[in-house]
Amino acid sequence: MRVLGVDPGLTRCGVGVVEGVAGRPLTMLGVGVVRTPSDAELGDRLVAVERGIEAWLDEYSPGYVAVERVFAQHNVRTVMGTAQASAVAMLCAARRGIPVALHTPSEVKAAVTGSGRADKAQVGAMVTRLLRLDAPPKPADAADALALAICHIWRAPAQNRLQQAVAAHRTPGVSRTPGTSRTPGAPGRLAR
């Protein structure tokens, strides 16, 4: 599995490509940052992010793109820029038919370090160790992008099995216990 991790941002958008499967050593194929000038117009910055991500997609042809899920912050301006860069990454992947997965920062930290409250230094140290690098990738956005890719490689098999189970459960004609219903309060519902 080859995954492009994207740590979205308007000024610095971290990107990193990791290849491997869960339970085996992983390999970093590339890491970097797509930068835009903070004094440029918003539209121009988004185009620059798009071009940067497209270049990474062209060079590495990932099978998946893992993007950090935007969460509410106190600084609305920062969260808006992050959300806009995130949307650009998702658009670039969708345009090519590449599946996109969103992971929260705490999911990524927990997957990589074992703690959803890990700081950036701990994430960088574990990324360095897991990918057998000489030093933590700089800036932290680049290390975070690699952590996203690692998280997706490790979590994807379980998520896929869960999605398949949910899809099978929702498929018409799937046998259920007689006398039960999926709709609360519907006739035939079992009393508890």
Side-chain angles (χ1 to χ4, degrees):
M1 174 183 299
R2 182 177 291 188
V3 179
L4 171 66
V6 179
D7 181 39
L10 272 181
T11 303
R12 289 183 319 271
C13 182
V15 285
V17 181
V18 177
E19 189 168 60
V21 295
R24 303 261 171 120
L26 303 173
T27 303
M28 180 190 77
L29 301 180
V31 65
V33 176
V34 175
R35 295 180 189 274
T36 70
S38 59
D39 59 348
E41 292 292 323
L42 175 61
D44 294 335
R45 295 178 79 187
L46 293 173
V47 168
V49 170
E50 177 197 26
R51 287 181 181 151
I53 291 172
E54 289 287 351
W56 279 81
L57 293 172
D58 287 342
E59 184 172 349
Y60 292 100
S61 301
Y64 301 88
V65 173
V67 181
E68 183 177 282
R69 183 181 300 273
V70 178
F71 63 97
Q73 296 175 337
H74 298 293
N75 186 339
V76 174
R77 186 173 178 190
T78 300
V79 78
M80 288 300 295
T82 303
Q84 290 162 336
S86 176
V88 168
M90 290 186 281
L91 174 68
C92 291
R95 188 183 292 142
R96 295 171 184 241
I98 302 171
V100 176
L102 300 174
H103 299 285
T104 66
S106 60
E107 287 172 345
V108 174
K109 291 174 185 179
V112 174
T113 70
S115 170
R117 296 176 183 256
D119 62 25
K120 288 202 176 280
Q122 291 170 311
V123 171
M126 283 307 295
V127 164
T128 302
R129 183 174 177 192
L130 293 168
L131 296 176
R132 299 170 313 285
L133 305 175
D134 294 331
K138 299 285 183 190
D141 308 274
D144 289 349
L146 291 171
L148 277 152
I150 293 167
C151 174
H152 186 71
I153 289 170
W154 288 352
R155 292 178 58 109
Q159 287 177 331
N160 290 341
R161 286 192 300 275
L162 181 60
Q163 289 171 348
Q164 289 169 353
V166 168
H169 181 71
R170 291 184 178 157
T171 304
V174 174
S175 64
R176 287 186 277 282
T177 306
T180 64
S181 170
R182 289 184 287 158
T183 308
R189 183 170 181 238
L190 296 175
R192 294 187 190 249

